[in-house]
Amino acid sequence: MTKPDSLQFNSNHQLQHLLSIEGLNQALLTEIMDNAESFASLANQPVKKYPILRGKTIVNLFFENSTRTRTTFELAAKRLSADVINMNIATSATSKGESLLDTIRNLEAMHVDMFVIRHALSGAAHFIAQNVAPGISVINAGDGNHAHPTQALLDMFTIRRHKKDFSSLRVAIIGDILHSRVARSQIQALSILGAKEIRVIAPKTLLPVEVTSLGVTVSHNLEEGLQDIDVVIMLRLQKERMSGALLPSESEYFSNFGLTPEKLAIAKPDAIVMHPGPINRGVEIASEVADGPQSVILQQVSYGIAIRMAIMSLIMQASDRQPS
Amino acid sequence: MSTLLITAGRLIDPANNIDQIGDLYIKDHRIISRFNRPSDFSAEHTIDAKDHIVCPGLIDLSAHLREPGQTQKATILSETTAALKSGITTLCCPPDSLPINDTPAVTEFILDKVEHAKAATVLPVGALTQGLEGTKLSAMVALQKAGCIAFSNSQNPIKNTLVLRRSLEYAASHDLCVIIRPEDPWLQNQGCIHEGFQASRFGLQGIPKASEIIAIQQSLTLCELTGCRIHFTQLSCHESVALIKAAKQKKLPVTADVAMHHLFFTESALNTFDSTLHVRPPFRTEYDKQGLIEGLKTGVIDAICSAHQPHDADAKLGAFPSTEPGISALETLLPLVLKLVTEHDLSLSQSIAFITQNAAAILNLKEGNLSIGSIADICIFNPEQRWAVNEQNWLSQGRNTPFWGQTLQGKTTQVIKSGTVITS
């Protein structure tokens, strides 16, 4: 059985699938960010299209709703001249009882080169990568609570644009770590890039039981946790989790873990504030902070296109060079 | 054939404290002598068991057969045949077939199929509550008369403690054994993996150890209240062993088993979202695994079961949480017993007891020994023979084993079922 990290590489040790940050090394993350840098600088030009993926077919296969991720993947693919099909499976074949594998087999028969997949269950992208025909690549656009590697990479790219050197950074990730694929991938990416400290801040109900095994420090108090922090990453709190057995109420959460200007002032003065979106104003973050000078939330979105262009072109080069 | 001689095998019979090379004499389906040839005995058939082990036919306390209702996964014929050829002459099947075994008609249907299969003996376990819904008691006495050996709510723990109490009281009034696979359904919370570092890493819903521990504590308290005989099946936690130990010291009428694969795997094995390792209860930590082995060594855990759960391929194809739990485990039971001996410092006789005599004692079965006068259910195996787990050798309809493609050591060569020789 293939290990998740080895599944991502072809026999030439090139990235064939991007399923998880786990198993990637610092050089590869840096290469992706460097490539994204050149795509980002070209974004302001009048003609934004490059012929790198001309003739390639990419299917955005979304088993879960998404606006930002799907749109930026679509734009990234189109700017690389690929043909893109968006499939919203939440309202499609599987609701008629088709299995995940059958859906993939049918699309394979249409000679697709790459699948970008979002699915509600952890491990779905691995399962598909293990079962697609050779030569087809899979990019994980979020599987359950497991991984969201492209989001983590665009977040690292955003941090690098503002902070340069990871080894001196203390990064706080605040909110629902337990149910967050973004947090898991960010933690792995920050570890690989050598961040000085990764601190997770949340009540115990929103933390995995063995969270420290991921290589983080833990705080249950936002005021304490924000001290000496260079990068503040807020996580979205899903509406259905705001009241019930995980948390008493929105307002109680906001008063304890919501990022207000006063709380942000505890972090380093030049700290940046990030959020993978969509934000819940007044639940995890105050509008003054989300729209304030330290916020880089909208930059994250535009960098998302550059990062996804970099990843798609890297993977497609690998699959083209793969001996048949 | 009315007489059978098994010569020169190493006879291992934990019930009679025998571990010695010698002959076994069978006449009219029964064992009539060990080591000494009866004066008037002439063998119509002889099996040379030199370099082989001759032990009682194995008893499996938990093997799902999937029939009625899920014959795409397995049938009574396929699984009882796989069992018998693997040395298992008697097995208990949990009540969660479709329909559920909560009426004598279902029990009779199962036993009728078993009779036609002419393979392993099946002792059906009846549903403790109707439809396994945990609200109304099933007709336990009628089910017992139809052939049910014990009662269980299987993988559907009873949420309502009053219903659980009444079930145990009712079973106790008729001296029936209740089998509990301990799991608190609230804490189980649709988990699919041990709540540990892998659950944290992969973002999979974990099942905490507390789910099992609380369920055992609850059942033990009600055991004390009702006096019901309880057998705990498929323990997975170190702490569970301590609870059973304390209960036994208090002389509560409790016994326990562990599923064989829990003695060999931990959560660390789940590195790849490999759905063949999706089991319930989940594989836990090395500490838990060692606790279970220690529990066997000290006699706190009485027996080992296969927890056989054959699946069709589709059941295991999908994202990990969407796959069905369970391992097809009949055919690996004996090789893993031998592995237990080499890896965990248990004697062969001790290890065989877990799947013969000790398992029989839990349900007051007369099987599981080579006593004079007993029905000849015998397993003969070559402990050195290696065999590949592949299409050629596998008999169960479910191929969901983590050992697929591997080579295991220890192969059943002949099985005697009620005096009849079956060659594996």
Side-chain angles (χ1 to χ4, degrees), chain B residues 277-297:
Chain B
L277 294 171
H278 181 187
V279 290
R280 200 167 140 197
F283 295 130
R284 299 197 185 273
T285 66
E286 185 62 30
Y287 172 75
D288 293 299
K289 192 182 94 179
Q290 292 304 332
L292 295 170
I293 290 162
E294 198 55 33
L296 283 168
K297 285 184 179 172

Side-chain angles (χ1 to χ4, degrees), chain A residues 205-236:
Chain A
T205 49
L206 299 181
L207 288 171
V209 166
E210 295 194 17
V211 67
T212 52
S213 69
L214 304 176
V216 298
T217 56
V218 180
S219 170
H220 305 305
N221 180 301
L222 188 58
E223 282 89 344
E224 278 173 28
L226 281 173
Q227 282 174 24
D228 308 319
I229 288 296
D230 300 284
V231 177
V232 183
I233 301 177
M234 302 305 295
L235 296 175
R236 174 178 164 75

Side-chain angles (χ1 to χ4, degrees), chain A residues 1-4 22 100-101 121-124 126-127 130-131 143 145-146 184 188 208-211 213-214, chain B residues 194-205 267 271-275 285 316-322:
Chain A
M1 203 71 186
T2 338
K3 283 189 179 173
E22 201 181 326
L100 185 52
L101 203 53
L121 295 177
S122 301
H126 278 86
F127 171 72
Q130 277 164 344
N131 287 285
D143 63 326
N145 299 333
H146 171 232
R184 284 183 178 79
Q188 287 165 352
V209 166
E210 295 194 17
V211 67
S213 69
L214 304 176
Chain B
H194 168 64
E195 187 181 88
F197 80 97
Q198 296 286 44
S200 302
R201 173 183 170 202
F202 290 131
L204 291 168
Q205 180 66 46
E267 61 170 335
N271 253 324
T272 58
F273 292 105
D274 179 0
S275 62
T285 66
K316 290 288 188 180
L317 280 174
F320 191 88
S322 68

